[in-house]
Amino acid sequence: MNPIFTGLPTKLGLYILDELLASYENSELYAATQSYVDRAVVIEVLRPQSPPDMVKDFQESTRRRAAVTLPHVCPVLESVQTGAFFYLIQERPRGHSLSSLLAQGKQLDYVQGFALVQAAAELYSACQEKGLAAASLDSASIYMDGEEFSFFSPVLAGVSDAAHRNMQMAGLADVLEQVLPTEVLSESKLSVVVYSLRNGYDGVALEWKSLHSALVPLRTQKGSIHCPEQHIGKSLMRFAKKRYLKRVLRTVISSGFRLALMVLAIASVGLLINFKHQTPPTNQQHIDCLFRDTLWRVHTKPVSLAEYADFLKAYAVMNKQQQQSLHAGMPPDVIEHRPHDWKRQLSAAREGEGSSMDAPVRGVSYWDALAYARYAHEQLTPVELVRAARASAQEKNALEEWTDTKYDELPPFSAHVIVCSSQGDTFIRDVNFHQRAVQRGFRTAQILKTTNSVSRK
């Protein structure tokens, strides 16, 4: 696309355009000087002969930019029309644009990268609070002066919505991938940030305010961690180690950042469980654990095909009232509990095709697991106790397991259940309680006794 002004420097009204900074589909950005006071400014010029609706949007966005004060944003001085040109004048930030630094072969370090994310999160949080739509940032619209960052105003015409937020987060992730060295992106906590900006948490987008609140304790920790994408849950758990527990908990309470809360709950298992038994023999059916002032009896193995088959047989002959007692609090469309590919599971077990009736049942939903637990007069097992049972049984080939660790809806997250992954310390946050994933089962537990005098190590 041809530049609006081909010969620089050139005059535009009271300003001298010195350098083209960036070229966009509908406008261009110029470094300029206010001639009679020799003041450095940046001017955004709308392309001439733009359609009327584009001119209207540009004028509305300039009006909004001039009317609002936002953190880390350069003041907007005025909007002007000179002949066929509509343009917006902003103060030029101190320091250098990231695009100019990249042109010189320079990149940001770890501390500067975190400072950039925090500044951007503060900016977009303010936009969201004021209901302002805002464009994504790029390297030409971000200036750095030491560890301080300034931005050109990203305010747009229109109303802020989820589409704008997703665009903003993707844009910031793009910038970080441009300006950070490969080793910082792959081996530091910033890898967690970039992943979350692009993917949210389990596909659910984060909110800017919550992200900013969570970054404060994350940034203050020393050292770096290796965090490939498939292990983001594990990396986030590491960030919630005991020495930071109180600090991060205060952040959780003030921001409502439920992702950090889940991490804390799971990472705290070593503080909350106090075993009163020796490592059981491999044929032991259960373990007894003290967990949060309660004595639990947890099955060392997930519910088996044989056990679940007995449940389905009993369920089939229950009267309506008995079935309703199992479904208390469930959606009205939960009326049957046959696992995914049930006939094949039974056939493979009975014919000895690499399975048996003692093998775990798979392909059950959260509602299926909950109904079975009620039928057995037990409970689904909390995530911490699932891990304790696995460790005691020395399981090597675990399956994904639904747990009793459930969180109500709190924006930006929907109501969800924690699912233990098949291996390692990672976890899954599942919002689809009806899902019958082929690799997923569950185990149950009994509450034996509740006490208020449990000593914890």
Side-chain angles (χ1 to χ4, degrees), residues 232-301:
I232 184 169
K234 185 173 182 178
S235 299
L236 287 171
M237 284 177 59
R238 289 178 180 172
F239 128 64
K241 288 182 179 178
K242 180 180 177 182
R243 63 180 293 197
Y244 301 103
L245 193 58
K246 292 183 180 179
R247 184 190 305 169
V248 182
L249 184 57
R250 287 195 296 268
T251 299
V252 172
I253 294 172
S254 63
S255 69
F257 192 39
R258 293 302 293 271
L259 171 57
L261 182 59
M262 290 185 293
V263 171
L264 288 173
I266 294 171
S268 302
V269 59
L271 304 176
L272 300 177
I273 298 178
N274 182 16
F275 291 104
K276 298 296 184 181
H277 60 83
Q278 301 298 319
T279 302
T282 56
N283 62 350
Q284 187 164 326
Q285 300 297 309
H286 63 264
I287 58 171
D288 292 345
C289 308
L290 282 174
F291 173 61
R292 293 177 180 168
D293 296 342
T294 301
L295 180 61
W296 292 74
R297 176 159 292 174
V298 186
H299 292 278
T300 55
K301 294 182 180 180

Side-chain angles (χ1 to χ4, degrees), residues 279-345:
T279 302
T282 56
N283 62 350
Q284 187 164 326
Q285 300 297 309
H286 63 264
I287 58 171
D288 292 345
C289 308
L290 282 174
F291 173 61
R292 293 177 180 168
D293 296 342
T294 301
L295 180 61
W296 292 74
R297 176 159 292 174
V298 186
H299 292 278
T300 55
K301 294 182 180 180
V303 172
S304 68
L305 287 168
E307 291 168 327
Y308 200 86
D310 289 341
F311 160 62
L312 290 183
K313 290 177 183 177
Y315 180 79
V317 298
M318 287 181 185
N319 60 39
K320 187 174 182 180
Q321 184 177 2
Q322 290 171 322
Q323 291 183 352
Q324 287 177 342
S325 69
L326 298 184
H327 296 160
M330 297 184 189
D333 61 342
V334 177
I335 55 176
E336 60 88 20
H337 299 287
R338 187 177 296 271
H340 174 75
D341 210 9
W342 178 238
K343 289 185 178 180
R344 188 204 58 80
Q345 289 190 62

Side-chain angles (χ1 to χ4, degrees), residues 3 92 99 104 109 144-145 148 154 191 217-218 221 241 249 265 279 302 316 322 339-340 355 371 405 418 434-435:
R92 192 184 305 180
S99 58
Q104 300 171 41
D109 61 24
M144 184 178 73
D145 183 25
E148 299 296 322
S191 61
L218 183 59
Q221 298 180 43
K241 288 182 179 178
L249 184 57
T279 302
Q322 290 171 322
H340 174 75
S355 182
T405 307
I418 298 297
H434 291 77
Q435 180 183 192

